[in-house]
Amino acid sequence: MHETNEKTYSELAREAVGNEELHAAIRMIQDRIGRGTRQLWKTEISPELRARAKAMRMRTLEHLDVVLATLAENIRKQGGHVYFARTAEDASRYCLEVARKNEVKRVVKGKSMTSAEIGVDPLLEKDGIEVVETDLGEYILQLAGEAPSHIIAPCIHMNRRQIGRLFQEKLGIPYSEDPPTLTKAARKALREKLLTADMGLTGCNLACAETGQVALVSNEGNIRMATTMPKVHVALMGMERVTSTLAEHETLLRLLTRGAAVQKISTYVSFVGGPRQPGEPDGPEEFHLVIIDNGRTDILADPRFREVLACIRCGGCLNICPVYGRIGGHAYNATYTGPIGSVVMPLLGGVNDHADLCRGETLCGACKDMCPVNNDLPRMLSELRHMLAYGDETWDVTPVDKTEAVAFKAWAAAMSSRKAYDLLVKSGRLLQAPFVRKGVLKHGVGPLGKWTADRDFPPIAKQTFAERWNTIHAKRLKEDGDA
């Protein structure tokens, strides 16, 4: 279990900006996977396919109640249990009840961001149940007591020397920075946990209502073992992670693995939808699917943000984002990071409480270009910033800084009046004069001081374009007249 960092987004980001090891690690994934995915979108995956996938997602979201009811009905037909959790607390409590009922002593987890969202691990551990991550990256972080820093590559911020020292300390093996040696040590430790676990706890990449199945992708095989070896399997699923038909499921699965790791298909794709049937050699005795709302209904009801529920959590937007590339995942101090986290976390956890996330992105649009389902994250970030500037009763948002809203209204008024604009420019030139050094503003006052604390600010030009035009034009007219 890791602890939430008490530092602010700005403080954590400032620390990360100076961390060259972090930049090198992120550069590796952005150069390899980010560029690879972008190339796939140009050469293999047509824009029409991505547009069609987006249309499928939005159509399913419009009929989400019916689709989820169909999924639950088909899973129950196969002997599985389905629980609809209104809140994170409901979902965690249900998992604990299942564990207690089956006298569970050890839980092995497949990689699941949803489990972190609802905070189920500390609840199980408080009840005396051992919780073990089996994804290699998540296992390393569990040993280190750190939070994931990337949706798909959770320990991307650590290098092999750091992992070698960690394994030496926690697993009691001789120091090594050889990746195969470290992987073998982790496999040995995890195999013992998997063989003696009572319950498997996983997420859900995509569920299919038509077949009543949950699909899980991995490249390590740990999820298949976690779902088949323990006597109980509990799958956690955000209510939006469902497709209506198998055809839709197949299209989105193709986009998911390409967007996540530039793979045509993951090494392992597991389909589960119920307990082991008579005659089957493996599988759990009980299967539970927990379908979690936790604020998603509010997002679904708001047309400004419904689109974000189309996300398939490939993490592709992190692999192209210039902000994430400089500050990494820990600066966000949130379950979901990067551009998608900057939209999702404010909506799930409170816009004012996560104001820094949506205000920290550049709105460059790279995340939209990379998204397999064309989610317009920059537009939604702008909507969140508008709510923070002017408030929003629907989401109970209060303005962060009322002077900012007044300033922008004044700016808008000045920009729509020639006289007011000219007066503003002339006043600005006079006011900036004492602060200009060597052609730049090095020390601003008020809000401008936050900018000049890290970089110079260009002063207002001695002549605007319009002023230069008028001067030159008048000169030419005079010359023409003289001629």
Side-chain angles (χ1 to χ4, degrees):
M1 176 185 170
H2 62 269
E3 296 181 356
T4 303
N5 201 313
E6 296 297 327
K7 293 183 179 178
T8 65
Y9 173 86
S10 298
E11 291 169 340
L12 293 168
R14 192 179 295 277
E15 290 176 2
V17 165
N19 188 339
E20 290 302 325
E21 284 192 346
L22 174 68
H23 299 161
I26 297 176
R27 200 158 47 240
M28 182 178 64
I29 196 168
Q30 290 196 330
D31 285 351
R32 188 169 65 86
I33 297 182
R35 287 184 181 179
T37 306
R38 194 163 47 185
Q39 190 63 21
L40 273 184
W41 294 163
K42 290 180 181 176
T43 58
E44 185 180 326
I45 302 295
S46 67
E48 290 75 19
L49 178 61
R50 293 167 65 190
R52 199 161 60 245
K54 177 64 170 291
M56 290 176 180
R57 291 294 291 139
M58 298 309 293
R59 190 166 54 246
T60 294
L61 291 172
E62 288 172 7
H63 304 90
L64 193 56
D65 53 343
V66 176
V67 176
L68 287 175
T70 304
L71 172 67
E73 181 183 353
N74 285 332
I75 286 181
R76 286 170 178 147
K77 281 180 184 175
Q78 294 159 169
H81 304 271
V82 179
Y83 179 72
F84 286 89
R86 182 74 178 169
T87 65
E89 291 75 20
D90 287 345
S92 294
R93 188 166 52 247
Y94 181 82
C95 294
L96 180 61
E97 288 172 0
V98 171
R100 283 177 173 172
K101 177 189 161 194
N102 288 279
E103 299 179 346
V104 170
K105 301 297 181 188
R106 175 176 293 157
V107 172
V108 285
K109 290 181 64 186
K111 188 174 180 304
S112 168
M113 300 297 292
T114 313
S115 70
E117 176 190 325
I118 65 173
V120 66
D121 291 13
L123 189 67
L124 294 171
E125 290 169 344
K126 190 177 178 182
D127 209 58
I129 299 170
E130 182 188 11
V131 179
V132 183
E133 296 283 357
T134 62
D135 174 86
L136 180 56
E138 295 279 0
Y139 178 62
I140 291 169
L141 293 179
Q142 188 178 32
L143 292 178
E146 294 184 8
S149 64
H150 190 284
I151 291 177
I152 303 301
C155 69
I156 187 64
H157 59 283
M158 298 181 71
N159 59 41
R160 57 184 180 177
R161 293 176 294 281
Q162 293 170 313
I163 296 170
R165 289 193 291 272
L166 179 69
F167 277 22
Q168 183 184 28
E169 177 190 348
K170 299 291 184 179
L171 301 183
I173 64 171
Y175 173 80
S176 172
E177 55 185 64
D178 175 48
T181 301
L182 295 172
T183 304
K184 190 175 179 181
R187 183 186 296 139
K188 181 176 183 297
L190 288 174
R191 188 60 58 94
E192 292 172 5
K193 302 291 186 183
L194 284 160
L195 287 170
T196 54
D198 307 299
M199 188 167 102
L201 185 64
T202 71
C204 160
N205 290 108
L206 287 168
C208 178
E210 182 180 9
T211 61
Q213 289 177 317
V214 168
L216 295 155
V217 300
S218 79
N219 286 316
E220 301 169 12
N222 61 305
I223 288 182
R224 183 159 296 177
M225 296 182 75
T227 57
T228 55
M229 298 180 72
K231 61 183 178 183
V232 181
H233 174 207
V234 178
L236 304 172
M237 175 188 127
M239 60 186 281
E240 80 282 10
R241 304 294 290 279
V242 61
T243 63
S244 303
T245 65
L246 191 58
E248 179 185 347
H249 189 275
E250 186 267 341
T251 298
L252 291 167
L253 195 62
R254 287 171 59 194
L255 292 174
L256 171 65
T257 57
R258 284 166 170 79
V262 204
Q263 288 179 300
K264 289 187 176 181
I265 196 70
S266 295
T267 308
Y268 297 90
V269 181
S270 301
F271 294 90
V272 293
R276 181 175 64 223
Q277 300 298 310
E280 292 183 345
D282 53 27
E285 296 170 13
E286 282 188 24
F287 172 75
H288 298 258
L289 176 63
V290 183
I291 300 174
I292 302 164
D293 183 333
N294 197 33
R296 290 166 172 81
T297 299
D298 294 334
I299 300 175
L300 185 67
D302 192 330
R304 294 174 295 177
F305 300 110
R306 184 180 302 162
E307 180 183 6
V308 80
L309 295 178
C311 173
I312 54 177
R313 295 291 191 279
C314 68
C317 55
L318 280 70
N319 299 336
I320 196 72
C321 176
V323 176
Y324 180 86
R326 297 299 295 170
I327 68 174
H330 286 165
Y332 292 81
N333 203 16
T335 302
Y336 303 106
T337 62
I340 183 63
S342 297
V343 174
V344 168
M345 289 307 304
L347 297 174
L348 292 181
V351 179
N352 282 107
D353 291 340
H354 296 84
D356 284 343
L357 271 61
C358 51
R359 301 171 88 197
E361 298 297 310
T362 63
L363 306 182
C364 67
C367 51
K368 182 185 177 186
D369 293 340
M370 182 65 81
C371 180
V373 292
N374 294 331
N375 265 356
D376 195 346
L377 292 175
R379 181 192 61 76
M380 289 183 273
L381 287 166
S382 296
E383 293 279 5
L384 288 167
R385 291 184 185 186
H386 186 275
M387 290 162 62
L388 286 166
Y390 300 103
D392 189 285
E393 291 184 1
T394 305
W395 289 89
D396 196 23
V397 181
T398 55
V400 172
D401 184 355
K402 291 183 179 178
T403 57
E404 183 179 307
V406 172
F408 274 104
K409 282 184 178 176
W411 175 254
M415 291 296 288
S416 34
S417 165
R418 181 74 245 179
K419 288 184 178 178
Y421 177 77
D422 289 342
L423 179 63
L424 188 66
V425 169
K426 290 176 181 175
S427 303
R429 284 194 191 118
L430 291 174
L431 293 172
Q432 74 178 5
F435 304 98
V436 177
R437 297 284 185 278
K438 297 181 180 179
V440 293
L441 279 166
K442 288 187 174 294
H443 304 288
V445 295
L448 187 59
K450 294 181 180 178
W451 177 285
T452 55
D454 293 305
R455 75 212 88 167
D456 298 332
F457 193 81
I460 298 173
K462 293 180 180 176
Q463 272 191 314
T464 64
F465 175 82
E467 289 168 342
R468 289 186 63 194
W469 173 264
N470 287 337
T471 304
I472 295 170
H473 189 58
K475 185 179 177 182
R476 285 180 178 170
L477 283 177
K478 185 178 179 182
E479 289 173 353
D480 290 345
D482 291 343

